[in-house]
Amino acid sequence: MSIEIIVNNKAITAKKGETILNALTKNGIRIPTLCHMNEFSATGSCRLCVVEVKNKNKLIPACSQPITEPMTIFTHSPRVINARRTIVELLLSNHPDDCLYCGRNQHCELQNLAVELNIRERRFFSNKKVQIMDTSSPAIVKDDAKCILCGRCIRVCDERVQASAIDFSGRGKKTRVDTVMSKGLNYSSCIACGQCILVCPSGALSTKSSLTPVLDALNNKSSKVLIQIAPAVGYSIAEELGFKAGKDISNRLVAGLRAAGMDMVFNLAWAGDLFLIETAKHIIENKKPTIVTTCPAVTKYIEQFFPKALPMTNSVKSPQQIMGTIIKNHFVQAQDWDINDIFVVSVGPCTAAKAEATRIDTMSNGIPDVDAVLTTNELIRFLKLSGIDLHNIDEERYDAPFHVASSAGSLYHIPGGLTEGLYRHLSFLNTNKTPAKMNLEDARTTKPDKDINFKAGKTSYKVKTVSGIHHIKKYIQQIIDNEFDYDILDLTACLMGCMSGGGQPMTSQYAENAKFLMKSLYKNDNQAASKAPNQNPFTMDFSKQLHSEALKKLMPSLHHKFPQI
Ligand code: SF4
Ligand code: SF4
């Protein structure tokens, strides 16, 4: 049922029962919020969205007040603006004044609110009670000094990620966001997905930076710094660097990274192809339902919460770790370089990849396959710091031998993309031919939970593709209980896949942005000359060598060593 309400002297129509905030947003009237998140229940805790309602004494929080009768609302009356200003001034009263050094500078909702409400001086001063910096995680830093206790991170971790790694602890002035027994994120159930970073409005949660070790390696004359670029990166950095949003600027990036001192620049989609080749083989040999993922947060989630599903999980390492292993244990020897002089940097959209690079089972004789992982955000900072202007640079190609990839090797960033790549290579393995039809239309929807059926040769495959940890739990349980009615379970932790990874450029529209970037990757796939791993002779050739006795002796396995259950 519709109700007419008057907002700022203008009539608008609202649905009975919807919140004031919802009705205003739908009608293009923006009011500030801090604790509110779309798709989550309202808590009304920050009170920033208060509005004045005629004949009500108190200001009303718009996010939690349903519209049940005609009402007259003022969203920006002097009383409302004063209340909002006071709320933000109180939040700032104990906030550190270190915006210049904060990674969230210029992308901070709190900073933007101070500007919007014309707060130009500090009226209130108070000391923050507890100011602990949690640096225990290899991926995430939590700084209590910047926390405004909005609770967004807790709700995302609990309701969407379902890791429940953080919660409020203490009371009154001692309230803080904490882990169990205050042991720190690395000793909690955190899977390093970084989704809490994306929703934190104030920079209290941030990515642990790896810029310093990368800069140190570049400054060390005896080091050779080799960098591998994930396929999503070339699209994700464009807008932030002043190019058309979603444009693929990978070849300019290659040139820029060389100009910044990188010795070699590799295309991680090469390892994306190898992942598909190895995983397709495993699926054919396994003959049982298989969990497939390139996502290190999913792997950690299964290890932590569903260890009984590990025997059903494809153990092939992620493309990042595959390329690191091959560089450190094969390529370096072939070049006659000293492994101790090699520094491998990986760049991608994912914070969990930072944690993945520190896993013991991805090290050989204590030497990590990947020495530093930069997120897309950190890469942008690195380019700016190095004075590289990608607008004024000629395009260059990736370095051989990890330069050529099929477009399937890039699709693992998209939910359903991994399935599409597997379909192409399973078809090749089952028929010895490249499939005539490359796309799987059911894989290309933005639904988080998809059913994809395909035939590869004479064999039919039923696939369940799921993105967002909160959606995947029931299917993992079905696999454990032998009740899973599919052949493949394809999983990514972040809703809409890696394009909404915790290390992606900060934008308040990150979900929309992720969808937009997915379209760019599909466009690239549609236009690519080589769409299937078997059309990439370099990776196919390496895959053959990989199973030779000589290479088996030389190289550590490309598989994780999951604990035996
Ligand atoms: S990184 Fe993910 S799992 Fe860890 S605290 Fe943040 S939301 Fe929770
Ligand atoms: S860490 Fe960030 S998201 Fe979490 S409560 Fe504090 S300010 Fe809010």
Side-chain angles (χ1 to χ4, degrees), residues 140 157 161 163 165-166 185 190-194 196:
I140 318 279
C157 189
V161 181
I166 41 180
L185 280 166
C190 173
I191 57 169
C193 66
C196 51

Side-chain angles (χ1 to χ4, degrees), residues 1-5 13-24 26 42 61-71:
M1 187 184 146
S2 295
I3 299 181
E4 190 176 88
I5 58 172
T13 309
K15 269 196 203 148
K16 188 173 181 183
E18 76 176 321
T19 61
I20 295 177
L21 179 64
N22 213 29
L24 296 180
K26 267 184 2 199
C63 70
S64 54
Q65 179 67 44
I67 298 169
T68 52
E69 57 190 23
M71 47 174 65

Side-chain angles (χ1 to χ4, degrees), residues 356-376:
E356 182 187 29
T358 64
R359 288 175 64 113
I360 300 285
D361 68 348
T362 62
M363 297 187 183
S364 323
N365 302 320
I367 298 176
D369 290 338
V370 173
D371 297 286
V373 177
L374 297 180
T375 61
T376 317

Side-chain angles (χ1 to χ4, degrees), residues 3 176 322 446:
I3 299 181
R176 55 189 287 259
I322 287 179
T446 50

Side-chain angles (χ1 to χ4, degrees), residues 254 258 263-267 397-404:
V254 172
R258 284 203 192 104
D263 291 284
M264 296 187 104
V265 188
F266 296 138
N267 182 1
R397 309 267 324 256
Y398 287 104
D399 284 292
F402 310 116
H403 54 321
V404 176

Side-chain angles (χ1 to χ4, degrees), residues 143-155:
D143 182 357
D144 286 343
K146 291 180 186 164
C147 176
I148 58 169
L149 300 175
C150 66
R152 283 187 186 179
C153 54
I154 295 169
R155 276 185 291 157

